[in-house]
Amino acid sequence: MQPTPFHASHDREVESLAEFDEIVSKHGSLAQFRVQAVDLTDRTTELLSLDTAGAVFLGCAMDPDAAAKVRAVGALVFPPVPGLPFDPYRGLLHSPDELFERLDAGYEETPDARAYAWFQQTKADGDIFASMLRSIHDDSVSDALDELLVGARVVGVMGGHAMARGTQAYEGAARLGRELARAGFTVATGGGPGAMEAANLGAYAAPFDDGMLAEALELLARAPSFTPSITDWARAAFDVRERWPSGGPSVGIPTWFYGHEPPNAFAAHIAKYFANATREDGLLARSNAGVVFLPGAAGTVQEIFDNATPNYYESRGEPTPMVLVDRAHWTEKHPTWPLLQSLARERAMESRIALVDRIEEAPDALKRLGG
């Protein structure tokens, strides 16, 4: 018998036990479905009786008899990998609570820190199995990120990790994130400290009154940087979250490639990658309503031209807005703006770039450019 052809669709993905039960009740079959990282040890009866031809089970714990049965009828079973500090088959993005679990015992005990240590060790070993697991993990994260952002108007906010809490620049970045979120945009950042954290904090603060952000900034200023203590820095963020729970959502897209920089706790959805190139391109490609570039150094300069290249060639369609903030920074300290202007001249992207003096001008510039 020829296998039934499979037509890829996100509605064929099962990413929770509730979804599994709904599919079983609705269809009475798991044929051709993809089940990601769902613990099925309590669904043995269903697995033994249902049609699972052509199904794929990615990292799903299940009874050995159930696993043998589904394999026998043509399903593929990729079992969980023991001993990993992360799930390579995950169906959903990371959350701050997940990555910072056990923070009370010190940052070194958290899944985030342990994943970085695993990455460093296996990268040094050149282990092909570990490399495969990293690739599967990153592809799963990309899939989950795409599902999350369907229909969203995403504005990327880029900037350096060195921007300290308690500074005017940090407060400005937070106000920018809040204004963008209140305008209906999904704020996406590189997910780390500094300017990235500030923008995610602003989006978190969007549902609250203006006094909340002022108080939160004061609390965070007591631990201005993730050095010397990531533990103290992260605890301050969780103290803010505990005092004002259920903040507004935003996205952080960090990387274990720069694992010495921890993710921030204000992004509700964290798409953390092992491969930095995949992470950077994915962040910019998903910023469909434009990107605001706050002052930064080499990493932010790279991101400007990573974003400019598809706008120049229109390889992703119509160019998206690019707003650079701080004229002195981008014309004198790191004179990126003149080169960007030169590239854009007489091309479609020329009307989609802007340089502003102050961070408060960025939202209006985005609107003016069509974001």
Side-chain angles (χ1 to χ4, degrees), residues 348-368:
M349 68 179 287
E350 187 172 18
S351 63
R352 294 299 183 95
I353 64 172
L355 174 65
V356 299
D357 289 311
R358 297 179 298 110
I359 202 167
E360 292 82 6
E361 300 173 72
D364 285 339
L366 269 179
K367 295 174 186 175
R368 187 174 69 251

Side-chain angles (χ1 to χ4, degrees), residues 66-265:
K69 182 267 179 182
V70 300
R71 284 194 183 99
V73 298
L76 289 176
V77 178
F78 294 79
V81 181
L84 290 179
F86 64 95
D87 183 355
Y89 304 112
R90 60 182 311 112
L92 304 172
L93 297 182
H94 305 274
S95 71
D97 291 322
E98 175 193 349
L99 289 177
F100 285 102
E101 186 181 6
R102 299 199 66 204
L103 180 64
D104 287 344
Y107 173 71
E108 296 74 15
E109 298 299 317
T110 66
D112 185 65
R114 291 189 291 112
Y116 177 53
W118 176 91
F119 177 37
Q120 291 293 94
Q121 180 61 55
T122 56
K123 185 174 64 172
D125 292 343
D127 183 351
I128 185 63
F129 180 56
S131 176
M132 181 192 74
L133 292 173
R134 293 196 297 269
S135 296
I136 292 172
H137 170 274
D138 285 2
D139 191 64
S140 297
V141 166
S142 290
D143 181 68
L145 184 58
D146 286 337
E147 292 177 6
L148 175 74
L149 296 179
V150 170
R153 299 164 66 216
V154 182
V155 171
V157 179
M158 311 298 167
H161 66 267
M163 185 184 288
R165 295 167 172 173
T167 62
Q168 286 188 337
Y170 185 95
E171 179 179 349
R175 293 185 183 280
L176 171 65
R178 185 178 65 179
E179 182 165 350
L180 291 171
R182 286 178 174 176
F185 293 108
T186 296
V187 174
T189 77
M196 297 171 279
E197 180 190 55
N200 288 128
L201 166 64
Y204 187 90
F208 302 100
D209 62 31
D210 292 354
M212 174 270 175
L213 181 57
E215 290 184 61
L217 290 168
E218 287 184 13
L219 291 174
L220 292 171
R222 298 171 187 173
S225 174
F226 65 96
T227 58
S229 172
I230 295 177
T231 303
D232 292 344
W233 174 84
R235 279 177 177 159
F238 278 98
D239 287 345
V240 169
R241 284 169 37 118
E242 184 176 347
R243 182 167 177 181
W244 293 281
S246 304
S250 65
V251 178
I253 307 181
T255 173
W256 280 295
F257 184 81
Y258 298 130
H260 59 284
E261 296 179 16
N264 76 73

Side-chain angles (χ1 to χ4, degrees), residues 260-281:
H260 59 284
E261 296 179 16
N264 76 73
F266 293 111
H269 310 285
I270 301 177
K272 190 154 191 178
Y273 288 89
F274 288 104
N276 186 50
T278 304
R279 165 254 189 172
E280 285 192 341
D281 184 67

